[in-house]
Amino acid sequence: GESMQVEIFNKINKILLENEKPSIEIDKLMKNEEFKNSDFSIVSKLKDIPQEKKFHPEGNVWNHTKMVIDVAARIKDFSNDSKKFMWSALLHDIGKIPTTKFIKGRYRSYEHDIEGAKMVYELLERYEDIRFVENVSEIVRFHMHHIYILKNLPFSNINKLLSSKNFDDIILLFICDKLGRGNQQMHENRNNINEVITILDILEKENNKKYYKLREDIIEIEKIILN
């Protein structure tokens, strides 16, 4: 019932906030009957969603998500709010569950960011206050913008991103998303972080503003990641 669900939410929350590698404990929790019967069992479905090998040598969406939350756990102290940040990392690709299709020889997940934002809202609104839910939903909504901005794709809403109160955490999630991949070499990690700095350059021009603090944080994050 209700109290069991709340307990599962609290367990996940504790793992996300307190574990060095949350992926290990969440994997264990998934085997638990209470978890399987809870709203959060939707996360298990990520195991069934394949991804394009070229971009994701680590395999399915759950493997990717585990890597993302483990990077996020290492850098969460730089975020505006670690709880909001970690839940966003866990749920960032949840929209791939309904949207992933095999089209023209490869897996694609069009609009999984938009779909994911709705799903996050529906999943969390029973467990958290509405501000928290809106924030996590918004971070998920914008998590693909690193690709849209770098490739200058028409799917972006840069004005809305620039005015978001979650701006810093969205940028930090870009880093986690890019680093959450299999077989990454040190130089690839460095390139990924440099790409996020390039995105900041683009956004600074667009906004006529300098993100000094965020740049300093990214330099510190790079030291943590590359160590």
Side-chain angles (χ1 to χ4, degrees), residues 98-219:
T99 62
T100 301
K101 294 182 173 51
F102 196 69
I103 300 169
K104 292 183 186 159
R106 55 172 275 213
Y107 291 105
R108 299 171 195 267
S109 310
Y110 291 125
E111 297 203 342
H112 75 270
D113 42 3
I114 297 169
E115 198 55 45
K118 292 181 198 150
M119 291 168 74
V120 162
Y121 202 97
E122 285 161 17
L123 178 64
L124 294 181
E125 65 177 343
R126 290 170 51 196
Y127 302 95
E128 262 303 332
D129 70 84
I130 214 68
R131 285 298 303 130
F132 178 85
V133 179
E134 282 171 353
N135 285 325
V136 174
S137 179
E138 185 178 69
I139 295 169
V140 170
R141 169 72 186 84
F142 281 108
H143 85 272
M144 285 292 288
H145 273 55
H146 60 96
I147 295 172
Y148 302 161
I149 293 165
L150 269 182
K151 298 195 169 171
N152 201 8
L153 296 169
F155 314 117
S156 63
N157 187 339
I158 288 179
N159 289 338
K160 200 160 185 222
L161 171 61
L162 292 172
S163 64
S164 170
K165 289 195 259 326
N166 295 304
F167 182 83
D168 292 11
D169 289 356
I170 292 165
I171 301 290
L172 295 186
L173 187 57
F174 289 170
I175 295 175
C176 303
D177 199 12
K178 289 165 103 38
L179 296 181
R181 293 194 188 145
N183 312 339
Q184 291 278 71
Q185 305 299 316
M186 198 59 96
H187 69 271
E188 291 170 293
N189 284 337
R190 192 172 283 119
N191 288 346
N192 280 321
I193 294 171
N194 285 338
E195 281 189 355
V196 174
I197 293 169
T198 302
I199 290 164
L200 265 192
D201 294 339
I202 295 168
L203 293 174
E204 283 185 342
K205 276 204 185 75
E206 197 70 39
N207 207 12
N208 207 359
K209 174 183 178 177
K210 285 263 185 274
Y211 298 105
Y212 295 112
K213 170 83 172 74
L214 196 47
R215 283 178 180 273
E216 280 169 26
D217 286 351
I218 292 173
I219 291 167

